[in-house]
Amino acid sequence: MADNVVPTLAPEKPIQEVLQSLPAQSHTPSTDIEKEALFDSIAQEGIDDGKESQSSFLKTFFTGLLWFGYSIAIVVALALVWSAAKGLLKPLPR
C-alpha cells in the first residue's frame, strides 16, 4: 500500500498562475445603476418619514395598547396556572 506514495497536498500549479488565470472582475455600468437606485430609494424613505410622523402617535398608542394586552394575558395565565396547581396539590396528603 505504501509502494506508490504520492504527495496529495502538493499544488500542481503555482499560486500566481492560478490567480492570473482567473477572470478579472469588470466594473459594469449596471452596478452603478443599481447603486444609484439604492441611494434614491434610501433618500425617498427619508422624505416619506416626514409624512409618517403624523401617524406615529397612533402607532405608539396602539403599540402600548398591544403590550398592555399582552401583560394582562400573562397575568391571567399565571393566575390560572396557580389556581390549577393549588387544586392539584390540595388532595395530596401532608
Side-chain angles (χ1 to χ4, degrees), residues 7-79:
T8 56
L9 298 178
E12 293 179 11
K13 294 181 181 179
I15 294 174
Q16 286 295 353
E17 285 182 23
V18 173
L19 290 176
Q20 289 173 356
S21 68
L22 293 175
Q25 294 181 353
S26 62
H27 184 67
T28 59
S30 65
T31 57
D32 289 339
I33 294 171
E34 290 173 0
K35 285 180 186 177
E36 284 183 31
L38 176 65
F39 289 135
D40 289 344
S41 68
I42 292 171
Q44 187 64 33
E45 250 181 50
I47 293 170
D48 292 342
D49 286 344
K51 297 175 187 173
E52 199 171 304
S53 65
Q54 296 168 354
S55 65
S56 66
F57 173 74
L58 287 176
K59 285 184 181 180
T60 304
F61 175 74
F62 286 123
T63 302
L65 192 64
L66 182 71
W67 282 107
F68 181 71
Y70 284 155
S71 62
I72 295 295
I74 289 171
V75 168
V76 168
L78 287 174

